[in-house]
Amino acid sequence: MTLSIETHTTANGGVVLNLEGEVDYATAPQIRETITTILRENSVASIRVDVGKVTVLDSTGIGTLVVAYRIARDMGVPVVVTNPTKFITRLFAVVGAQELLEEPTDAFAGSGGHR
């Protein structure tokens, strides 16, 4: 499967990236290119990366999101990853990147961190 990236601008000047499919070594460059373009061409208030329809997320994909987060943060643009699944939430916690995550929306969020 491939990766589909849809973007739209919100009323408050934020940009939402809706990702669907596999986020891995083969598709991570698409995300990096999309976020780079957004940061270069737009006066953007924030970036929200919706991962609710992501089926695969590997270390390259996580790394790409972490680097984008840091670059955007240095530019004064907040980045948040939204709609994480239990698996994605756990991955981000394991690699120490949970600061990128919006509060999870599923039952895992209410577990109080007990796994």
Side-chain angles (χ1 to χ4, degrees):
M1 187 175 192
T2 59
L3 175 67
S4 169
I5 303 174
E6 293 182 11
T7 63
H8 69 273
T9 303
T10 64
N12 65 355
V15 175
V16 177
L17 278 71
N18 293 305
L19 307 182
E20 182 174 354
E22 299 177 358
V23 177
D24 59 16
Y25 71 95
T27 60
Q30 292 174 260
I31 297 169
R32 181 176 58 246
E33 185 177 307
T34 300
I35 292 174
T36 299
T37 299
I38 289 167
L39 290 171
R40 281 188 182 151
E41 296 179 358
N42 299 310
S43 176
V44 61
S46 64
I47 298 174
R48 298 178 68 80
V49 183
D50 187 327
V51 295
K53 294 183 180 177
V54 169
T55 56
V56 172
L57 179 63
D58 74 1
S59 60
T60 306
I62 293 172
T64 298
L65 292 172
V66 168
V67 169
Y69 168 82
R70 290 179 179 161
I71 291 170
R73 180 190 61 198
D74 290 347
M75 297 174 71
V77 178
V79 174
V80 65
V81 175
T82 65
N83 296 317
T85 62
K86 290 179 187 180
F87 178 73
I88 291 174
T89 300
R90 187 169 293 196
L91 277 177
F92 274 75
V94 166
V95 300
Q98 60 268 36
E99 73 269 13
L100 275 74
L101 296 178
E102 177 183 64
E103 289 297 315
T105 57
D106 58 19
F108 185 73
S111 70
H114 301 288
R115 294 179 183 98

